[in-house]
Amino acid sequence: MVGDKQVRIAVRAASVNRADLAQLAGTHDPGSGAPQVQVMGLDAAGEIIDVGPGVTGYAPGDRVMAMVAGGLAQEVVVDASMLIPIPTNWSYFEGAAAVLGFMTAHNALVTTARMTGGESVAIHAATSAVGMQAVQLARYFGAKLIVGTTRSDRGAALLQQLGVDELINTSSTDFAARSLEVTDGAGIDVILDYVGGSYLPMNIRAAAVKGRIVGIGRLGGSEGLLDMEALAFKRLELVGVTFRTRTTQERAEIVSALKRDIAPFGKCAGHRDARESLRPVIDRVLPWSEADKAYELVSNNEVLGKIALEVG
């Protein structure tokens, strides 16, 4: 049975996310009031097989992607407000690989940081799958300069192809100093930080006056040294984002904003076709019976892009 405004999806593909590793380790906190999900997977792509009586705009047979708890299953039931149509020339694998990363990046870049065309954007951990999607969105929305950071030169050619103008290897180059150089001392308008920890001080130094720093990930740790004087002097905004403390309505608003701003996820005038410019990078596709192998590859940083799992 499905609820009044729910749909049932026959899942064809899911993807592997770093949060899955925390769930496997038993350290993932889904947020206050959220269920402790036993089934893995934070996203799913497939076709609708049943709709509730209150659902409009969707019908059985529609190809959709959605953020959903327990996506690595043959079928999932989700609220219709969480659905995003899969672009016509995308596979189910691309749908699964795209949904969570683009929702995260759009919410951080457009809704939270209010990026406008002609601004400079820096993206930490640009070689990660979510980092790549943030690069694509920054280019899509007209950033004049995209700076990406990495701790190795792996993936440099791919990042340049996706839209990175300046790639900084933080293992050998001072991110803040180089960012100020390439902006003629002005600094970066928007910084998306998927790393956290020790990156906070250099983000403050690299940021432009009235810059916006959005903390998304904490792979580098949850604590960083904050220069309150520099924060005030530059009039910076420092904001943290997560899905874990958002209500169902807040998550639905993120989906709605994504469909509003990006064609053909929804109707949107003024932007070029997103089907090619935002196509997610997939490192490989594995059967869901090899999920353990997929998690190991992600844990060991042996992929460049998303791993998609074929379900069923």
Side-chain angles (χ1 to χ4, degrees):
M1 295 288 294
V2 295
D4 181 53
K5 295 186 178 181
Q6 293 180 321
V7 305
R8 185 183 301 276
I9 302 171
V11 180
R12 307 302 183 194
S15 80
V16 175
N17 298 280
R18 283 200 171 272
D20 297 343
L21 303 179
Q23 185 178 338
L24 284 169
T27 59
H28 178 64
D29 178 4
S32 177
Q36 291 287 346
V37 178
Q38 299 302 314
V39 179
M40 300 298 300
L42 295 173
D43 49 51
E47 60 188 49
I48 295 175
I49 55 177
D50 193 11
V51 299
V55 174
T56 59
Y58 293 98
D62 288 350
R63 301 168 70 247
V64 294
M65 51 189 176
M67 181 178 73
V68 55
L72 195 55
Q74 290 178 303
E75 295 181 2
V76 295
V77 174
V78 300
D79 194 278
S81 63
M82 297 302 298
L83 299 178
I84 302 172
I86 298 176
T88 53
N89 65 338
W90 280 20
S91 67
Y92 287 121
F93 305 120
E94 288 167 317
V99 59
L100 193 62
F102 282 134
M103 283 177 62
T104 301
H106 180 274
N107 177 255
L109 187 68
V110 179
T111 304
T112 303
R114 307 179 308 283
M115 177 217 152
T116 60
E119 289 192 309
S120 57
V121 177
I123 299 161
H124 290 306
T127 51
S128 66
V130 290
M132 290 180 188
Q133 289 171 318
V135 168
Q136 290 173 297
L137 276 185
R139 180 61 67 201
Y140 183 75
F141 286 107
K144 70 175 180 181
L145 173 71
I146 300 176
V147 175
T149 74
T150 178
R151 285 184 284 187
S152 73
D153 294 326
R154 179 171 170 268
L158 176 57
L159 286 173
Q160 290 173 347
Q161 179 183 336
L162 293 177
V164 169
D165 300 298
E166 178 73 22
L167 184 61
I168 299 174
N169 184 335
T170 56
S171 296
S172 57
T173 303
D174 186 309
F175 163 69
R178 183 57 184 158
S179 294
L180 292 170
E181 286 178 5
V182 298
T183 58
D184 295 324
I188 304 292
D189 296 307
V190 175
I191 299 175
L192 301 188
D193 187 359
Y194 288 93
V195 179
S198 62
Y199 278 43
L200 179 57
M202 61 184 185
N203 288 339
I204 298 294
R205 288 191 291 118
V209 172
K210 299 179 70 175
R212 286 85 73 203
I213 303 168
V214 184
I216 305 169
R218 288 152 296 281
L219 290 174
S222 60
E223 297 182 0
L225 185 64
L226 176 61
D227 185 337
M228 296 291 291
E229 179 62 28
L231 184 77
F233 183 79
K234 291 186 176 182
R235 290 174 284 153
L236 301 178
E237 294 180 38
L238 177 60
V239 187
V241 295
T242 182
F243 284 112
R244 290 178 291 168
T245 53
R246 295 183 194 269
T247 65
T248 300
Q249 178 59 36
E250 287 173 323
R251 296 184 186 199
E253 289 170 358
I254 292 174
V255 171
S256 179
L258 190 70
K259 293 192 288 186
R260 177 197 67 211
D261 292 342
I262 299 176
F265 296 166
K267 298 298 182 183
C268 174
H271 284 302
R272 64 184 183 277
D273 191 345
R275 288 176 296 180
E276 298 303 326
S277 62
L278 295 180
R279 187 182 292 272
V281 176
I282 295 180
D283 183 273
R284 70 193 76 187
V285 175
L286 295 174
W288 70 337
S289 59
E290 296 184 23
D292 286 346
K293 175 182 177 181
Y295 295 132
E296 182 179 357
L297 290 168
V298 172
S299 179
N300 294 334
N301 295 317
E302 296 179 28
V303 297
L304 198 59
K306 277 274 194 174
I307 294 182
L309 298 173
E310 183 175 12
V311 177

